[in-house]
Amino acid sequence: MGSLGAMLRHPDDVYPLLKLKMAMKHAEKQIPPEPHWAFCYTMLHKVSRSFGLVIQQLDTNLRNAVCIFYLVLRALDTVEDDTSIATEVKVPILMAFHRHIYDRDWHFSCGTKEYKVLMDEFHHVSTAFSELGRNYQEAIEDITMRMGAGMAKFICKEVETIDDYDEYCHYVAGLVGLGLSKLFHASGSEDLASDSVSNSMGLFLQKTNIIRDYLEDINEIPKSRMFWPRQIWSKYVNKLEVCLFLCMFDLKYEENSVKAVQCLNDMVTNALIHMEDCLIYMAALRDPAIFRFCAIPQIMAIGTLALCYNNVEVFRGVVKMRRGLTAKIIARTSTMSDVYGAFFDFSCMLKSKVDKNDPNATKTLSRIDAIQKTCRESGTLTKRKSYIIKSEPRYNSALIFVLFIILAILFAYLSANRPTNM
């Protein structure tokens, strides 16, 4: 649930939050009885509760394939992310990972917390993989092989240019888009989307994560990581080695904060170029469950970019959507008109934050205007609830009292249904 303060400021979040909480509890109970499948779905909920929720809507065979696809790539990503693994050990594992998924005895200890459990007990994932249809297996193997090779390449290569940045994002996320398109097609539910728009679906999400996770990446232990391309950040700093790219400790100085935010805005503007492809991809989907599965993360991404844009807090802490807004997005996203409305609303929020003195203001506004034009031309913008409240409404004591009653009932319900072994 969201914080009490946030719910008092946004009481219309309460109902979507309640629905989300109940849906998550229901999803966590839908665990298959077989030990290997039970492990996979339990692990899925641990590494991504929101993903574990939206995947439940898919057809059983496709849901199993997407679950295993996700866990295989999370395991591959865990190897790449573990900066304590020596390069001479890491690279061969990444290159051979697509073969390991066929080996029920293979495992490799790395990562932390739930990711370490995933790696230590990877045989459960391999066993579940072996039960998938051959068309699903081939798609997963192909993407895993290409992603592992791409990750290995960038273990030994810096992200220097924007082309490098796009290539890196293609390997770690664009290929996820291609893989999901293959799985959707293999299920018989969708036509095979083009590689171009499938790639953009992944790049838009990945670039959003790279922007949002800046501070976490540079504070990575034992070795910091930097995915922002030198071609962008070099326009705003002199030496990365001296200031660690405007690290959090230097941002107390106003001159560094201004440059940091300008660089951030440049990064966001770069990500916006993928939005139109994302709309094209989603508009072509036919299956309602697949549509929601794809659309919800994309709306979350543009909402997160709107929050990050021109926001120095990206360099000082975590910038993310409030829980209630996330719940609203999940509850409201059912049709393409919902997507157009959300993209329009969050692009308006982003546009309102553009400083005309920003070096990239013209380019940023041009990309926002292009996406807003597409949304308007859909003819559906009047058929949805806005995500943007123009002014804060005033709530009387009676409404606040009702809110507390609802929360009390919820907490009582959750306590009554809590497992006795917890």
Side-chain angles (χ1 to χ4, degrees):
M1 291 290 286
S3 70
L4 181 59
M7 286 188 286
L8 289 174
R9 290 191 299 273
H10 306 276
D12 57 330
D13 286 357
V14 174
Y15 181 62
L17 279 167
L18 290 173
K19 286 185 63 178
L20 179 61
K21 185 70 174 179
M22 296 303 104
M24 284 185 167
K25 286 180 69 67
H26 177 73
E28 289 170 359
K29 293 177 181 178
Q30 306 304 303
I31 302 297
E34 299 86 355
H36 50 289
W37 284 110
F39 173 85
C40 291
Y41 277 98
T42 299
M43 188 55 58
L44 181 66
H45 288 294
K46 288 182 178 180
V47 299
S48 178
R49 294 187 71 192
S50 58
F51 189 85
L53 174 63
V54 296
I55 196 179
Q56 291 296 328
Q57 304 169 74
L58 300 175
D59 168 80
T60 302
N61 290 333
L62 177 58
R63 179 172 69 242
N64 288 342
V66 172
C67 173
I68 299 308
F69 183 50
Y70 184 85
L71 290 178
V72 166
L73 298 189
R74 286 307 307 167
L76 184 64
D77 191 55
T78 299
V79 176
E80 186 215 18
D81 281 349
D82 193 330
T83 53
S84 68
I85 304 173
T87 299
E88 60 270 21
V89 175
K90 180 181 293 189
V91 169
I93 294 174
L94 294 174
M95 294 292 291
F97 209 91
H98 65 287
R99 293 195 292 272
H100 295 321
I101 60 180
Y102 287 97
D103 183 354
R104 298 189 192 187
D105 296 323
W106 185 87
H107 63 90
F108 180 76
S109 185
C110 65
T112 59
K113 300 179 181 178
E114 60 269 17
Y115 298 104
K116 186 177 188 306
V117 176
L118 173 63
M119 297 304 298
D120 287 342
E121 301 189 42
F122 193 76
H123 63 280
H124 289 303
V125 180
S126 299
T127 301
F129 173 80
S130 71
E131 296 179 2
L132 298 178
R134 185 58 189 160
N135 50 353
Y136 290 135
Q137 289 180 342
E138 289 174 350
I140 294 172
E141 178 187 3
D142 174 59
I143 297 300
T144 304
M145 178 181 66
R146 293 160 68 182
M147 185 178 292
M151 287 178 169
K153 177 178 180 178
F154 276 90
I155 294 296
C156 308
K157 175 181 172 66
E158 295 294 327
V159 180
E160 297 282 350
T161 67
I162 292 174
D163 285 344
D164 291 340
Y165 182 46
D166 286 341
E167 184 182 12
Y168 172 76
C169 289
H170 165 73
Y171 286 132
V172 300
L175 285 173
V176 179
L178 270 67
L180 286 172
S181 294
K182 287 175 179 285
L183 295 180
F184 299 157
H185 180 61
S187 74
S189 299
E190 302 289 350
D191 294 330
L192 183 60
S194 72
D195 285 358
S196 176
V197 295
S198 298
N199 188 59
S200 286
M201 288 284 283
L203 262 63
F204 190 52
L205 298 182
Q206 182 64 20
K207 289 184 177 183
T208 299
N209 291 340
I210 285 174
I211 291 166
R212 181 199 60 198
D213 295 340
Y214 163 82
L215 191 62
E216 178 183 332
D217 288 336
I218 65 163
N219 287 334
E220 182 77 26
I221 295 174
K223 181 182 179 182
S224 63
R225 301 185 299 166
M226 170 57 70
F227 300 111
W228 293 24
R230 183 184 295 267
Q231 187 176 342
I232 289 180
W233 62 252
S234 63
K235 293 185 285 185
Y236 306 95
V237 300
N238 294 321
K239 292 183 180 179
L240 178 63
E241 295 76 17
V242 172
C243 64
L244 194 56
F245 186 55
L246 303 171
C247 76
M248 58 184 295
F249 304 108
D250 288 335
L251 286 172
K252 61 185 178 181
Y253 302 114
E254 182 61 26
E255 63 272 20
N256 284 352
S257 297
V258 171
K259 289 292 186 181
V261 169
Q262 288 177 349
C263 184
L264 167 65
N265 294 345
D266 201 341
M267 290 290 293
V268 172
T269 301
N270 172 272
L272 297 180
I273 199 170
H274 303 291
M275 289 195 299
E276 291 191 74
D277 273 356
C278 292
L279 289 178
I280 292 170
Y281 184 99
M282 290 183 282
L285 295 173
R286 298 192 302 260
D287 184 277
I290 292 175
F291 173 81
R292 276 177 51 80
F293 174 82
C294 294
I296 290 170
Q298 298 297 327
I299 295 174
M300 295 286 293
I302 188 172
T304 299
L305 289 179
L307 291 175
C308 289
Y309 185 85
N310 215 36
N311 187 351
V312 72
E313 292 303 313
V314 170
F315 300 93
R316 297 173 177 169
V318 179
V319 175
K320 61 180 181 180
M321 285 187 184
R322 69 179 191 274
R323 188 74 168 162
L325 184 53
T326 298
K328 282 182 182 176
I329 290 170
I330 293 173
R332 292 180 183 179
T333 305
S334 298
T335 67
M336 196 60 204
S337 62
D338 298 326
V339 173
Y340 286 127
F343 267 56
F344 185 82
D345 285 347
F346 286 122
S347 64
C348 284
M349 183 188 299
L350 202 160
K351 189 174 185 176
S352 70
K353 298 170 70 176
V354 176
D355 182 348
K356 296 296 176 64
N357 295 318
D358 185 272
N360 293 283
T362 301
K363 184 188 296 184
T364 306
L365 291 171
S366 174
R367 290 182 180 171
I368 293 173
D369 288 343
I371 202 66
Q372 289 186 337
K373 180 175 182 289
T374 299
C375 293
R376 286 194 191 95
E377 290 177 348
S378 73
T380 63
L381 293 185
T382 59
K383 303 176 183 178
R384 94 290 183 209
K385 294 180 180 178
S386 176
Y387 288 100
I388 301 173
I389 306 297
K390 298 297 183 183
S391 60
E392 288 293 325
R394 298 177 181 177
Y395 302 105
N396 59 32
S397 57
L399 181 57
I400 294 175
F401 176 75
V402 170
L403 175 60
F404 275 109
I405 293 297
I406 293 173
L407 291 174
I409 293 171
L410 171 66
F411 294 145
Y413 173 82
L414 294 178
S415 298
N417 287 274
R418 185 175 299 163
T420 56
N421 63 342
M422 290 183 66

